[in-house]
Amino acid sequence: MSLADVQPTNSPRFPSPSPAPSASILSSPRAKGKQVRSADYEDWENLKELFARAAERYDADDIPEALPLLRAVIRECHRFLMDHPDPSVVYADPPSHRSSRSPDAITPTEERLNRDWGMDSDSASASASTSPNWSHRRRSPAELPTAFHAIFGITLFLLGNLVAQDPSIVLPGEPDAPSTYWLAALDVFETGENLPSRTGGSNLDTAEDWRMAIVWGRTLVCLADEKVTYNMKRAKEQATATNGSGGALVGSDYCYYPSGSSFSMSEPQWPPSSPFHAIAQFRPPVTRRMSLYSASAHDIMVLAMDQFSRGIFHMPHPQYSASHNPSFIHTPGASGAPAHSSGYFASALAPASHYASPASTTDSSGSPSSGLTFSRPKELFTIASEVLGVAERLSSGTQRHYWASWADSVFNQMKNEADMDAWRGPILSARGRCWLVMGSAPVEDMEAALEAGQTEVLHSAEAEDAREGLAMAISFFERAKGQRAITLARDAAEGASGAGAVDDVSPLLVEALLVLANLTVDENKREELYTRAQAEAGEDLRLDLDMADGASANGSARSGDEPMDVS
């Protein structure tokens, strides 16, 4: 069911993680007309703890536990929005305003007396304890103004991922289209970006929220992936209808519409008790839904790249001290240190990226660790993998080449960030896929010329670039196979299951060898590549070649009877 089919009179229901899983936000005390105290700082701390638990369960793929926790976070965020249009007033220090350009104070305050005039520590402590702002300073670490919107948006993003993976998890009244949650997450991020504390110019020292920027970009990638899937499905359906009922398509011979959307441009009329209504109430006038409806997947990816660039630039570097990594949201953790990430937005749940990172969680230095800690290599790998997953399915060869090249640059950056003993296999495999996409991108344009007998196209600059890219892909795949063999041998010696090894890249290697052979001018080199592909694939390739030869023979016989339809 599309977003247009959602009944606007029904409110999305987010049950609590209590034993009553069907509890709705409409059954909250406030919805029943009871007096409820306003959300305060203690509620903010509880919200962060609840979010951390939900993220941990999400990372562990414990969906039955993660779902009620994510819904509880959304319900609590909704309560915050109803109490405070700008929730940062609960946890962020108010900006200091100077009424004039004169010195701050003529008479030293208690703190300045201690700093400048050397008051004894006992009297300073007594003075500080009586200061009205002291308790607030002690309880509130350096929270970013966008901390609430980051939590709210990330939660909507994660829930949208789960709905995309299994639409049956939605409860009656909840939207069953993942784009509804992703668009709401974008609206939340946009609202947080336009908070008065960020746009008023009174606090120029506010750090960038790198987590929000990264998930912002990933949400856009999810929408681009959904748009590609929707448009491919729609184009095939229309082509089948054109060929007649029950008509079969030949190959990929169908018209592709890059700007179609699975969601409508108009916003559903959510009831006042819905969290989506609160999001729509506080967001900027021009919504993401309106601007993304007619955008192509490539256009959406450009927007995502802007957010990724900002997030990667401000993402903490493990080799730097904490003072150089100010962008974080404090969550409960050991030693009071900020928990930069639990990996909850580095999952491979959506969109399907076809890549696997090392099985063990890695710490900030890139070494294997059993805990859920921040890993810059893991964040980079996830970003590049999801971008590559979309790039592989774009209709334009130029766009596929562009985004595969972008993803390869991120994978290449990881060699300076990660422990290569743990990441070498996944990086080699992923970079091989990037170069396979880049090398294959111009092949479609050359196929028509080759079929027409124009073999001079093999001497063009585009053909030479394609051969270089495919040779790079073959090199990466062969090295990935070697690394996989080393990992499996080590795991076998240690009695491990071998789960840390990357997937077998032999099918991809065979594909690269065959495409390169078709573009090779020298007949001896071409036959050598075919032989390598045959040895790599074995009987599977022989069966495929026999079927292809039969199809070619039938096509040749058919071409002698009737002309080819090139319309």
Side-chain angles (χ1 to χ4, degrees):
M1 183 176 66
S2 65
L3 184 61
D5 297 326
V6 176
Q7 295 296 329
T9 57
N10 294 330
S11 170
R13 300 190 296 176
F14 298 93
S16 106
S18 61
S22 60
S24 168
I25 58 173
L26 299 178
S27 62
S28 63
R30 177 168 297 162
K32 295 179 179 180
K34 297 181 180 180
Q35 294 293 330
V36 180
R37 65 180 179 84
S38 176
D40 55 17
Y41 187 81
E42 182 179 358
D43 295 320
W44 166 245
E45 290 293 329
N46 293 335
L47 174 61
K48 291 191 294 181
E49 183 177 357
L50 181 64
F51 173 70
R53 288 168 52 202
E56 181 183 6
R57 292 296 86 206
Y58 180 92
D59 275 344
D61 289 336
D62 188 358
I63 307 305
E65 288 290 334
L67 270 175
L69 291 172
L70 291 172
R71 288 179 169 121
V73 173
I74 291 178
R75 187 173 60 251
E76 190 67 10
C77 289
H78 183 207
R79 184 169 78 93
F80 262 85
L81 273 184
M82 299 305 294
D83 291 339
H84 308 284
D86 181 1
S88 65
V89 300
V90 175
Y91 53 82
D93 287 328
S96 57
H97 297 280
R98 292 180 58 178
S99 57
S100 67
R101 297 181 179 273
S102 60
D104 291 340
I106 301 301
T107 304
T109 62
E110 297 292 339
E111 293 181 3
R112 295 183 68 229
L113 281 173
N114 179 39
R115 183 192 68 192
D116 299 336
W117 301 95
M119 289 182 59
D120 61 282
S121 58
D122 293 338
S123 59
S125 301
S127 301
S129 63
T130 59
S131 175
N133 294 327
W134 175 252
S135 60
H136 178 70
R137 291 179 183 177
R138 289 189 59 184
R139 72 180 186 182
S140 176
E143 302 274 14
L144 296 177
T146 56
F148 168 83
H149 293 85
I151 287 178
F152 196 6
I154 291 172
T155 304
L156 289 166
F157 166 74
L158 298 181
L159 189 56
N161 291 353
L162 296 181
V163 173
Q165 185 184 27
D166 182 10
S168 65
I169 65 173
V170 299
L171 298 177
E174 287 184 355
D176 59 356
S179 57
T180 303
Y181 301 91
W182 294 331
L183 290 169
L186 294 179
D187 285 338
V188 169
F189 294 145
E190 197 81 36
T191 303
E193 190 73 6
N194 289 277
L195 289 175
S197 57
R198 292 185 57 84
T199 60
S202 58
N203 190 358
L204 301 180
D205 297 329
T206 301
E208 287 286 344
D209 193 337
W210 69 268
R211 290 199 321 170
M212 190 174 79
I214 293 296
V215 182
W216 195 333
R218 289 191 63 198
T219 306
L220 290 167
V221 172
C222 286
L223 286 171
D225 182 82
E226 185 185 53
K227 187 177 284 279
V228 170
T229 302
Y230 172 80
N231 289 329
M232 293 176 65
K233 179 180 179 181
R234 180 186 175 195
K236 292 181 179 179
E237 291 174 350
Q238 292 181 352
T240 302
T242 302
N243 292 343
S245 59
L249 294 178
V250 179
S252 57
D253 186 17
Y254 57 87
C255 183
Y256 180 83
Y257 300 91
S259 299
S261 292
S262 60
F263 55 89
S264 65
M265 186 170 62
S266 59
E267 177 81 14
Q269 297 299 317
W270 305 107
S273 58
S274 167
F276 295 98
H277 179 272
I279 293 172
Q281 183 180 2
F282 297 108
R283 71 186 174 198
V286 179
T287 67
R288 293 290 90 189
R289 177 186 298 271
M290 298 168 59
S291 58
L292 297 179
Y293 174 77
S294 59
S296 67
H298 173 75
D299 297 332
I300 298 176
M301 295 284 283
V302 172
L303 298 176
M305 183 177 61
D306 293 339
Q307 297 298 331
F308 287 145
S309 298
R310 184 175 65 154
I312 292 174
F313 179 79
H314 292 281
M315 188 187 298
H317 287 266
Q319 60 266 34
Y320 297 149
S321 63
S323 62
H324 288 79
N325 295 318
S327 300
F328 55 81
I329 299 175
H330 286 274
T331 53
S335 73
H340 294 287
S341 168
S342 299
Y344 45 82
F345 61 103
S347 173
L349 285 176
S353 57
H354 317 293
Y355 304 93
S357 58
S360 60
T361 306
T362 54
D363 60 21
S364 59
S365 63
S367 302
S369 171
S370 59
L372 293 175
T373 56
F374 168 72
S375 170
R376 182 178 171 92
K378 185 178 180 181
E379 305 296 339
L380 295 176
F381 188 87
T382 301
I383 292 169
S385 297
E386 293 181 351
V387 169
L388 182 55
V390 178
E392 289 178 321
R393 303 192 301 132
L394 292 173
S395 60
S396 168
T398 302
Q399 294 175 3
R400 290 198 302 271
H401 185 284
Y402 179 86
W403 291 112
S405 176
W406 187 92
D408 181 69
S409 67
V410 178
F411 287 129
N412 188 40
Q413 179 183 344
M414 289 183 61
K415 66 185 181 182
N416 301 320
E417 309 268 358
D419 175 12
M420 291 304 295
D421 290 337
W423 284 95
R424 183 173 288 106
I427 292 176
L428 290 173
S429 176
R431 294 197 67 189
R433 298 187 76 115
C434 292
W435 282 98
L436 178 58
V437 173
M438 288 187 282
S440 303
V443 172
E444 293 179 0
D445 296 332
M446 290 185 285
E447 282 180 348
L450 291 174
E451 290 176 358
Q454 301 174 6
T455 57
E456 62 273 9
V457 72
L458 295 177
H459 300 278
S460 63
E462 291 79 5
E464 182 62 28
D465 292 341
R467 286 190 289 267
E468 291 179 359
L470 292 167
M472 287 287 293
I474 292 171
S475 173
F476 278 117
F477 288 142
E478 289 178 336
R479 292 162 61 191
K481 282 192 62 179
Q483 185 64 31
R484 171 182 167 83
I486 293 174
T487 302
L488 292 176
R490 183 181 65 241
D491 292 345
E494 297 175 355
S497 62
V502 296
D503 294 337
D504 187 14
V505 296
S506 294
L508 299 172
L509 176 57
V510 171
E511 179 183 350
L513 288 168
L514 290 176
V515 177
L516 180 58
N518 294 335
L519 296 179
T520 300
V521 179
D522 186 87
E523 185 175 351
N524 293 329
K525 292 183 179 179
R526 187 188 315 124
E527 290 302 324
E528 179 184 350
L529 292 170
Y530 281 137
T531 302
R532 291 176 59 187
Q534 179 69 67
E536 188 70 33
E539 294 296 329
D540 294 337
L541 180 60
R542 182 177 294 110
L543 178 61
D544 292 341
L545 289 178
D546 292 341
M547 294 177 61
D549 291 341
S552 299
N554 294 335
S556 299
R558 190 168 52 248
S559 63
D561 298 332
E562 53 188 40
M564 180 183 298
D565 182 9
V566 295
S567 59

